Amino acid sequence: MKNFILILQEKIEKAFEECGYDKQYGKVINSNRLDLCEFQCDGALMAAKQYKKAPFIIAEEVVEKCKNNKEFEKIEVVKPGFINIDVSKEFITTYCNQIINEEKFGCNMEKDKTVVIDYGGPNIAKPLHVGHLRPAIIGESVKRIHKFFGNRVIGDVHLGDWGLQMGLVIEELKFRHPDWPYFNENFDGEYPKEALFTVSDLEEIYPCASSKTKVSENATEEEKIKANEFKENARKNTAYLQEKKKGYYDLWKKIVEISVKDLKENYKKLDVEFDLWLGESDSQKYVKQMVEKMQKLGIIYESNGAMVVDVQEPTDTTEINPCMVLKTGGVSCYQTTDLATIMQRQIDFDPNEIIYVVDKRQELHFIQVFRCARKSEIIDKDAKLTFLGFGTMNGKDGKPFKTRNGGVMRLETLIKEINEKVYEKMNETKEIEDKEKREISEIVGLAALKYADLSNQISKDYIFDIDKFTSFDGKTGPYILYTLVRIKSILNKFNETSSIKENRILEPTEDIEKQILLKIAKYSQVLEESYLENAPSKICIYLYELANIFNSYYQKVKILQGASEKLDSNIVLLTLLKRIFENGINLLGFKAPEKM
Ligand code: ARG
């Protein structure tokens, strides 16, 4: 099925051609002044240059050709040569009646593209904090949108489990528990089945270890030496780990096991799901092969003990440093694991695209990695590598979001605060029991959080404003849900006593009804744009506009009254709206409660 606007455009293109002009000038866009017209075409202004003719005359010729088309209710020229269009009620109604039977709302599907989406990116032994919110929320939505369009999609959490932070945690554990069998070279028994530590222990250990590597400016010589020693040991531990040295590797496995279990629970609370739980460490087995490939191609060389590949390109306006493939001593670093992971994904999935949902401050890293991957031919030359860099969630002071006492806020705490806020708001509703209110506020709270995040352009920073996000009015998740719940309750009321006879929408009699139909017809266009541009924000805006129109309709039209044919038509319309809202929020990654 074609998008409504495209069908319309084809008619205008044809008219341009019939008047002897190139059809490229027949482009139709949605009007942003609905008080003037529904659609517009500005092509005559552009055509004027090529044909050396006044735009107004060109537009008039084109309009003349369309005058008798039954698709248009109004088509007119406005100075200096705009073509303003209103479509006929019949045209829009017929189109919407077709959507009723379209499972995908008339979207044009992709055919079996394989897409790997790398999102989440939590680090082992560190708690999930607000910084992990955006990749999870955005990645989940982008993944769902790609799945909707029929792609084979693989979401990979890509755990940070192989870097220096692991060496630091191990060093601190060794300092606290030198007696543990993991650190005894001569130990040849079985390591403990049950972990000797909890997630909370780990969460306290990492910052402690990390602080031991830092010294203040006026530190004594002794303190400096101590810090250096600690860091050096952590580095050694990391190298041992990467060699899978007995004891170290076993301890690491336990740390990963405990952390992953906790991470899974946390992501579940966010309704975020991964197909793969691989980590940086899983790429280690490809490192040797990858480096050999680079050697064969003659692109890798030694520089200050490290192994690097040049990635500067002649068109660069700034200097791009060589990509470090291995650190001194052959130790893997962040670039190593990302490169080897590309190789792994190529071998395992032969993807058409890999999308990275990562903090935009890591852009340079990915420029280096992508270029190096192409140069070393570890990725198919036609595969796309996409960096979807996101901005920071800031506090009201414009700085990265912190707790009241300046610490990094844990994700759990943030979610609790939002749920609590929604619960407070719901307290005004007397009819719902307290226990249910709690459950509903969890659903609505998550929607508030996700909608607030996704309604921004991905690359932009945004300000976390709990009062604004949880408001039941305005561009918020709760407002969208409130509207959907309203639609559902009307439908339930109808379904309790009757059923529809004919599954079709009648031509609108009120202006507001036509506006709803126009909005419905736009859905497939919005979905396609949000897919092609990886932009869930387009769905957010659309749902907000649709909710606004529906709520005006609800004020004006007695939905459950009137002649039976009209009543049926209203119910069919509401059922379609419900389907669109449910589909939209599902693509954004949240659900609606039954009541609120
Ligand atoms: N763990 C990384 C971090 O905390 C994010 C990982 C992003 N994904 C990737 N393939 N590098 O910064």
Side-chain angles (χ1 to χ4, degrees), residues 118 121-123 132 158 160 280 334 338 345 356 358 362 365-366:
D118 180 317
N123 297 315
H132 293 108
H158 197 73
E280 295 167 352
Y334 194 37
D338 263 324
R345 288 172 178 161
Y356 292 83
V358 181
Q362 292 190 22
H365 164 80
F366 281 97

Side-chain angles (χ1 to χ4, degrees), residues 122 155-159 260 263-264 267 274-279 282:
D156 183 4
V157 68
H158 197 73
L159 298 166
V260 166
L263 285 171
K264 283 191 175 165
Y267 280 118
F274 299 94
D275 304 293
L276 287 182
W277 276 83
L278 296 183
D282 291 285

Side-chain angles (χ1 to χ4, degrees), residues 31-88:
S31 149
N32 44 19
R33 287 283 308 270
L34 276 180
D35 52 326
L36 297 180
C37 61
E38 295 157 357
F39 299 92
Q40 67 188 70
C41 168
D42 306 340
L45 299 172
M46 265 89 80
K49 290 192 193 84
Q50 183 181 340
Y51 298 99
K52 301 198 171 47
K53 224 178 188 179
F56 197 83
I57 296 178
I58 298 177
E60 274 200 319
E61 287 168 13
V62 172
V63 164
E64 195 50 42
K65 277 269 181 270
C66 301
K67 272 267 148 71
N68 298 321
N69 285 16
K70 64 177 183 358
E71 286 89 2
F72 305 121
E73 190 170 276
K74 179 189 90 179
I75 177 157
E76 62 184 16
V77 187
V78 176
K79 272 182 188 152
F82 299 112
I83 300 174
N84 286 359
I85 306 163
D86 280 354
V87 295
S88 71

Side-chain angles (χ1 to χ4, degrees), residues 162-210:
W162 212 227
L164 185 65
Q165 95 264 20
M166 301 309 307
L168 283 166
V169 170
I170 293 174
E171 186 56 23
E172 180 60 22
L173 282 171
K174 197 169 166 181
F175 171 77
R176 295 185 190 190
H177 310 281
D179 53 317
W180 279 4
Y182 299 107
F183 307 118
N184 178 354
E185 299 262 342
N186 304 318
F187 183 78
D188 59 1
E190 249 185 57
Y191 293 110
K193 279 229 154 45
E194 294 293 319
L196 303 171
F197 45 84
T198 65
V199 188
S200 325
D201 293 338
L202 290 176
E203 286 175 358
E204 176 260 323
I205 284 169
Y206 173 73
C208 169
S210 163

